[in-house]
Amino acid sequence: MSEREKCGDFEIYFENNWWIIKKISDEKIIGKFLNKDDALSKIASVLQSDENREETESVC
């Protein structure tokens, strides 16, 4: 089962019992998480630390 979702510059998907975050532009895996909420929290954290993003942008 491969459930994929695009979140800004990142893709999140479920594979081999892990939720994986991958940066789309360079295909780099950012992290692997046991549940989707933790993965989404990580993406939100990364996006909040990016000073070039608009404050009103949504995560996914």
Side-chain angles (χ1 to χ4, degrees):
M1 176 175 95
S2 180
E3 182 179 333
R4 295 182 180 265
E5 187 172 336
K6 185 177 176 187
C7 300
D9 300 331
F10 301 93
E11 181 178 42
I12 180 174
Y13 57 94
F14 189 72
E15 183 176 86
N16 298 325
N17 296 320
W18 291 97
W19 284 97
I20 300 170
I21 300 172
K22 181 172 65 175
K23 188 170 183 182
I24 296 169
S25 61
D26 61 8
E27 298 288 317
K28 181 179 177 184
I29 292 178
I30 304 300
K32 295 182 179 183
F33 300 86
L34 292 175
N35 63 57
K36 189 175 183 179
D37 288 338
D38 289 345
L40 290 173
S41 292
K42 176 64 176 179
I43 291 174
S45 173
V46 169
L47 293 178
Q48 285 177 341
S49 68
D50 185 352
E51 296 174 359
N52 296 324
R53 295 214 174 263
E54 295 290 324
E55 190 172 318
T56 57
E57 283 184 86
S58 69
V59 175
C60 295

